[in-house]
Amino acid sequence: MQKVTADYTALANDETVLVDATNNNINITLPTMPVMGTRIFIKRIDSTLSNSVTVIGNIDSSVNVVLPILNCYVFQYYSSDNKWYIISRF
């Protein structure tokens, strides 16, 4: 598990990334060539309205996904064919 407060490039073995954007905007970059079946959970743990958390990668045919400010969401990303998919938001 990683807890980050600045831009971070997720590793294939990062199962969970907790993101605290209290002091600044944060970009989380997903691995570009993930092994099929890799799962990464990303959760925003702050509720700062002025800062954003953006997940960067080839995600559901988009380039970026901005996490909601509400810290009650956990996003599960799953890799297949060198692409990432949002499997669940809970």
Side-chain angles (χ1 to χ4, degrees), residues 18-87:
L18 303 176
V19 185
D20 184 346
T22 300
N23 297 317
N24 50 289
N25 297 323
I26 297 179
N27 293 323
I28 303 297
T29 304
L30 295 173
T32 55
M33 298 295 285
V35 174
M36 187 164 181
T38 300
R39 293 176 191 261
I40 298 178
F41 293 87
I42 299 177
K43 178 175 175 51
R44 183 174 182 165
I45 59 172
D46 71 281
S47 56
T48 306
L49 297 175
S50 59
N51 296 326
S52 64
V53 174
T54 303
V55 179
I56 299 170
N58 184 1
I59 307 164
D60 285 338
S61 300
S62 296
V63 177
N64 301 342
V65 173
V66 178
L67 295 180
I69 292 169
L70 298 173
N71 61 12
C72 60
Y73 289 99
V74 177
F75 285 73
Q76 179 182 9
Y77 295 89
Y78 177 82
S79 68
S80 176
D81 301 324
N82 295 323
K83 297 178 186 173
W84 289 96
Y85 299 94
I86 298 174
I87 299 300

